[in-house]
Amino acid sequence: MFGDFLCDSPYSLIQSAFDHMAPLTKPDDFIIWTGDSPPHVPADQLSTDLVIQVIRNMTETITQHFPNLTVYPALGNHDYWPQDQMPTSPNAIYKAAAELWKPWLQTDALLTLSQGGFYSQLVKPGLRVVSLNTILYYGPDKVTENMTDPAGQFEWLEKTLQKAGQSLEKVYIIAHVPVGYLPYARNTTAVRERHNERLVSVFRKYSDVIAGHFYGHTHRDSIMVLLDQQGMPVNSLFVSPAITPIKSLLQPYSNNPAFRMYLYNTEDYSMQDIWQYYLNLTEANAQQSAAWRREYILTEAFGLADLRPLSLLQLGLSLRLPQSKAFDVYFSHFRVGYDSSLACDGECKLSQVCAMLFLDQLSYSRCGGW
């Protein structure tokens, strides 16, 4: 009834997630939607029109459940046809997204969205969301593989962050494909390595302006902390797990469906906590009923004061300790409680911890055994 670990989300799963999310929201909340509505199917099973239709269906479903909240979307690699091949100029899908998201976004945001798939908007005085199109830096995107600044997004990002700093605003970066290294593959950046280096450089330069990063794409629950070139923690980054439980036959694990609530400080917009909710998919199907539960409160799970960069660095360092019980908890959260019998040690643990602590090539390359 609620889907399978080898499949994309059926509509019943999506609806049940929103049904359980809605009562948790308050009038002054806003929603981050990090993309990927169409299914994981071969390109010949979709088309531009079908992809637009799916994005429209999801937009309407979100609007029905959250009629009074502003939603800040980011485009995912499946939100285009053919998938991954995001262009650097206006096209039918960018324009359709801008049209669909008019109730949430202002004119200047809709303009850059329709041109390059990215935008910036003031959430409230002092807080700005910057939604990046990181698919432009994604390895499979053949359109942009030889470009240094696809769609001029790097130049735009620097100007936007500079202006935000001058206006005494804090910025939340949102995007689909994360910056940094994949936690489940050694020496592999989520976007192209050269584009990753430039992103890390920009984020370090404006780390005093950026109050948090929020990504999707991997379907798993992970944390990163950006260190400056002196090794000091300067930014907190979060990768949210997916509603969809899909995995390939070759993957050893999947994730239970999940959504989350971020709590932030209303004065400096620093991250205070995450309340993570999940659905035990096996149990839900057996009982024909969706009992969404809170999986964890992040500060309680690891004994943290808050989710500021220093707290996350201390967490990352604690995960390196031999026989670290904290790491077992972290890896269980990474899979959203999927199959607790699976262990992660040796290279698996190294990949997780190195990805958490080191986002650029030089520091990551030095992250060996400890």
Side-chain angles (χ1 to χ4, degrees):
M1 181 177 178
F2 296 103
D4 184 271
F5 288 112
L6 293 172
C7 302
D8 282 298
S9 307
Y11 198 57
S12 56
L13 175 62
I14 295 166
Q15 288 237 309
S16 81
F18 288 149
D19 285 343
H20 286 79
M21 225 185 282
L24 298 169
T25 60
K26 296 187 171 69
D28 56 349
D29 289 344
F30 59 95
I31 293 175
I32 294 168
W33 173 20
T34 50
D36 264 11
S37 299
H40 299 75
V41 294
D44 62 5
Q45 293 184 30
L46 291 170
S47 64
T48 294
D49 287 348
L50 271 174
V51 166
I52 290 169
Q53 185 60 49
V54 171
I55 296 171
R56 178 181 292 113
N57 291 348
M58 278 304 305
T59 302
E60 288 174 356
T61 301
I62 290 171
T63 304
Q64 284 163 10
H65 283 85
F66 308 98
N68 301 315
L69 297 188
T70 303
V71 180
Y72 296 100
L75 288 168
N77 55 304
H78 288 271
D79 294 324
Y80 196 77
W81 188 82
Q83 67 185 54
D84 309 329
Q85 306 309 312
M86 287 276 190
T88 60
S89 55
N91 59 79
I93 288 175
Y94 290 174
K95 287 178 178 174
E99 189 62 37
L100 289 168
W101 299 339
K102 264 184 181 173
W104 299 326
L105 302 179
Q106 291 158 5
T107 308
D108 53 348
L110 294 167
L111 181 63
T112 55
L113 175 62
S114 63
Q115 291 173 338
F118 52 86
Y119 65 88
S120 145
Q121 182 159 306
L122 202 62
V123 178
K124 55 183 78 173
L127 179 64
R128 177 172 296 277
V129 160
V130 169
S131 179
L132 295 178
N133 180 359
T134 48
I135 322 309
L136 297 173
Y137 313 135
Y138 190 43
D141 191 348
K142 295 181 178 65
V143 183
T144 61
E145 61 188 346
N146 296 318
M147 297 181 181
T148 53
D149 187 8
Q153 184 173 226
F154 278 121
E155 185 184 356
W156 171 86
L157 173 61
E158 287 222 48
K159 282 180 180 168
T160 302
L161 291 172
Q162 186 179 25
K163 195 174 172 188
Q166 290 165 350
S167 304
L168 303 179
E169 296 166 359
K170 291 293 183 184
V171 167
Y172 287 156
I173 300 285
I174 72 170
H176 182 68
V177 182
V179 69
Y181 285 76
L182 294 173
Y184 47 81
R186 198 80 177 100
N187 296 311
T188 309
T189 47
V191 296
R192 291 186 197 96
E193 194 170 272
R194 71 177 193 281
H195 288 135
N196 184 67
E197 289 295 297
R198 189 162 175 188
L199 276 172
V200 169
S201 174
V202 171
F203 293 153
R204 279 176 172 157
K205 183 177 175 182
Y206 295 98
S207 59
D208 60 326
V209 178
I210 299 168
H213 297 245
F214 309 92
Y215 302 101
H217 183 61
T218 67
H219 297 206
R220 312 284 185 258
D221 181 350
S222 57
I223 293 168
M224 292 177 278
V225 54
L226 178 63
L227 308 179
D228 67 15
Q229 283 167 309
Q230 285 71 49
M232 298 301 291
V234 292
N235 265 187
S236 302
L237 302 88
F238 305 94
V239 181
S240 178
I243 298 282
T244 188
I246 192 172
K247 80 176 193 75
S248 75
L249 280 167
L250 300 174
Q251 286 176 300
Y253 50 75
S254 183
N255 60 282
N256 278 302
F259 65 82
R260 60 175 39 171
M261 193 158 59
Y262 290 102
L263 285 78
Y264 60 88
N265 182 306
T266 52
E267 290 181 9
D268 65 0
Y269 300 107
S270 61
M271 295 309 300
Q272 289 186 315
D273 220 335
I274 291 171
W275 288 24
Q276 179 75 35
Y277 294 84
Y278 82 113
L279 180 69
N280 182 320
L281 189 61
T282 309
E283 180 188 277
N285 282 327
Q287 297 177 356
Q288 297 286 286
S289 172
W292 289 82
R293 292 190 285 267
R294 198 168 64 205
E295 184 192 9
Y296 64 79
I297 296 174
L298 193 59
T299 53
E300 290 181 7
F302 296 105
L304 304 175
D306 51 45
L307 306 189
R308 293 171 189 262
L310 181 59
S311 297
L312 297 189
L313 174 59
Q314 289 165 344
L315 171 60
L317 294 174
S318 77
L319 300 187
R320 296 170 64 154
L321 300 172
Q323 281 21 85
S324 168
K325 289 282 184 281
F327 181 78
D328 295 339
V329 173
Y330 182 81
F331 190 64
S332 174
H333 292 340
F334 174 73
R335 295 161 298 149
V336 197
Y338 175 87
D339 191 356
S340 57
S341 68
L342 289 166
C344 179
D345 40 37
E347 280 290 306
C348 173
K349 182 173 177 179
L350 194 64
S351 296
Q352 287 279 346
V353 178
C354 291
M356 184 175 183
L357 294 173
F358 305 108
L359 277 63
D360 65 297
Q361 198 274 326
L362 182 62
S363 64
Y364 186 92
S365 67
R366 294 172 176 163
C367 182
W370 46 76

